[in-house]
Amino acid sequence: MAWLLVCGLFVLTGCEKPEPYRVVRNDALYLSLNAALPDEADVPAAKAGDARYLASDKIRSLRIVLVSQSDDNGSWTVEANECYTLANTGGYMPGDLIYAVSHTRHKRIYLFGNCEETVLRNAAGDAVDLRTDYSVFVPDAATGRAPVEDFRFSCERGAGHATANRDAYVPMSAVYQIELPAKIEDIPVVGNSSHVYTVPKPLYLIRAVTKFTAVYENATADRAPVNIRVRGWTVSKVAKGSSYLLARVDDKWRETTKPAGDETDWQYWLAGEAAKTQDKGDRSYEWMYAYDLPEPEHEDYVCAYDSTDYYNIYHDSKQVLSDIRPVYLPESKNSVAAGTAAGPQSYVLKIRTWEWEDDYRLGRAMTYTLTLPECQSLFRNTNVYLNVKFLGDAVSLQATVCPWERHEVDIPAFE
């Protein structure tokens, strides 16, 4: 038991104010799991508290729910519902988490990041609470889907919404199904008498939103030099209203994504795609198409910089300005060909500026309209980097679309 006591001490010192709820039926069996972010492996531990990393790269709170299915009658029971506040870890994951569980073969593990301050609603629009209603985690006998899989949150910018602050901790989620050996004798014994089943892979949380970041360059010096104030931008046809807390991915997602590997769990597939971004090498991404949204409607999203956010780019400064505060939008699905399950998606970007030569008061308002290039899918956990170069009466736009990453992206230079 010494090993278990050491691990338990790590968990308690690494988290604050846990909310334990456990049904312990057999203290001779423990489940060990490790929660992670797909892009976390590339972040040195020494930089965990580095202020340069945005809050959206981290986790403020982590809730883990364990649900077990009885081998006798197939009924489900919530065995654990615990929330950890990760203030002492700099917003990064703790280590291995240990739970006493019953010896039933089939278990479902829900993970929720940064959902304690997020307003969650069920399909009827009623507010729900992950802390108190354990029945929402119990799968339906006929469909296998639990009520929590219908929960939604809003991506609107305003009070009470998850993404009201562009530097906010964003909601994350995941759900995994595991199967324990039928015989407890086949589960390794650690210490004197306790069997410990270790989930063989990390359980990755997936950010439930997409992230847009813009870079602006004034390249008018060699043409008709003007100074430029970037006033904001609009992207068309993004998803309207709420987003699912847990991704609604079709069981046959491999038929449209056509992954090169044999991974059957899309969450592990997505972690593999995120690894491509971190490697800075292979950028031949595979894309998720087989996902559903709560509402079919689309809308234009307007990002308006206020008086403290304006970006002035002077033609003689040779300065490139980056909007270091990304905008978080719901996962969207505006296919180029209506009614198709797979294929590129289409979004139109409008950039609003005020441009002047010598006197700001004599300037003019301009709007540049461009199609977002190279956009295959705006599935959750996606980064869109906009590289905007002002040329005078026109704009050159390059976009990098890739899985979420916490480091500065190497945006291709303009040709």
Side-chain angles (χ1 to χ4, degrees), residues 314-332:
Y314 300 99
H315 64 79
D316 57 353
S317 66
K318 297 182 180 180
Q319 183 180 18
V320 177
L321 294 182
S322 300
D323 182 357
I324 62 173
R325 295 169 303 169
V327 172
Y328 306 109
L329 299 179
E331 62 180 352
S332 302

Side-chain angles (χ1 to χ4, degrees), residues 126-147:
D126 302 321
V128 292
D129 193 334
L130 299 179
R131 300 172 297 177
T132 57
D133 188 356
Y134 302 116
S135 66
V136 302
F137 304 109
V138 177
D140 180 80
T143 65
R145 178 176 293 169

Side-chain angles (χ1 to χ4, degrees), residues 171-348:
M172 310 176 189
S173 65
V175 57
Y176 295 87
Q177 302 211 55
I178 63 172
E179 184 173 319
L180 273 61
K183 298 180 180 179
I184 196 169
E185 293 79 10
D186 294 333
I187 300 176
V189 175
V190 177
N192 296 328
S193 59
S194 297
H195 295 268
V196 179
Y197 179 82
T198 301
V199 179
K201 296 181 181 180
L203 302 181
Y204 294 110
L205 282 96
I206 309 300
R207 296 177 181 87
V209 298
T210 61
K211 178 168 68 172
F212 278 67
T213 306
V215 176
Y216 306 104
E217 178 182 355
N218 187 339
T220 65
D222 298 330
R223 296 175 174 82
V226 294
N227 304 304
I228 300 172
R229 168 170 287 186
V230 182
R231 305 170 67 189
W233 50 268
T234 298
V235 60
S236 69
K237 303 285 187 185
V238 296
K240 182 179 180 180
S242 58
S243 296
Y244 285 122
L245 176 60
L246 288 159
R248 186 69 65 83
V249 174
D250 190 280
D251 292 339
K252 298 181 180 179
W253 65 273
R254 290 180 55 87
E255 296 180 6
T256 54
T257 298
K258 302 184 185 305
D262 57 3
E263 181 57 64
T264 58
D265 189 321
W266 69 266
Q267 295 160 125
Y268 286 121
W269 161 82
L270 185 61
E273 293 303 296
K276 295 179 181 179
T277 301
Q278 297 299 328
D279 289 343
K280 307 293 185 184
D282 180 12
R283 294 298 183 96
S284 56
Y285 297 114
E286 299 164 350
W287 300 99
M288 174 62 74
Y289 303 108
Y291 59 96
D292 293 328
L293 307 178
E295 304 175 29
E297 292 84 5
H298 300 87
E299 65 181 356
D300 293 348
Y301 175 83
V302 179
C303 175
Y305 300 130
D306 60 30
S307 59
T308 60
D309 281 343
Y310 284 146
Y311 290 87
N312 289 338
I313 316 175
Y314 300 99
H315 64 79
D316 57 353
S317 66
K318 297 182 180 180
Q319 183 180 18
V320 177
L321 294 182
S322 300
D323 182 357
I324 62 173
R325 295 169 303 169
V327 172
Y328 306 109
L329 299 179
E331 62 180 352
S332 302
K333 191 177 183 181
N334 184 45
S335 300
V336 173
T340 58
Q345 299 174 8
S346 177
Y347 303 91
V348 175

Side-chain angles (χ1 to χ4, degrees), residues 19-88:
E19 295 178 346
Y21 170 82
R22 296 182 179 180
V23 176
V24 181
R25 294 179 177 175
N26 182 357
D27 60 2
L29 176 60
Y30 290 82
L31 180 70
S32 173
L33 61 88
N34 182 273
L37 293 173
D39 50 79
E40 190 173 34
D42 198 39
V43 179
K47 293 185 178 181
D50 195 326
R52 292 176 298 173
Y53 295 122
L54 295 172
S56 61
D57 294 328
K58 307 176 184 179
I59 295 184
R60 180 192 298 271
S61 64
L62 171 64
R63 180 172 295 278
I64 295 181
V65 181
L66 302 181
V67 187
S68 294
Q69 185 178 31
S70 170
D71 294 332
D72 298 327
N73 56 22
S75 62
W76 291 84
T77 301
V78 177
E79 291 195 293
N81 183 359
E82 299 196 9
C83 180
Y84 305 93
T85 301
L86 306 181
N88 289 346

Side-chain angles (χ1 to χ4, degrees), residues 350-369:
K350 294 183 178 181
I351 303 171
R352 301 181 301 280
T353 65
W354 182 262
E355 303 179 7
W356 72 99
E357 296 179 5
D358 299 314
D359 190 335
Y360 174 86
R361 296 169 298 178
L362 300 179
R364 59 175 180 169
M366 295 287 291
T367 300
Y368 301 94
T369 302

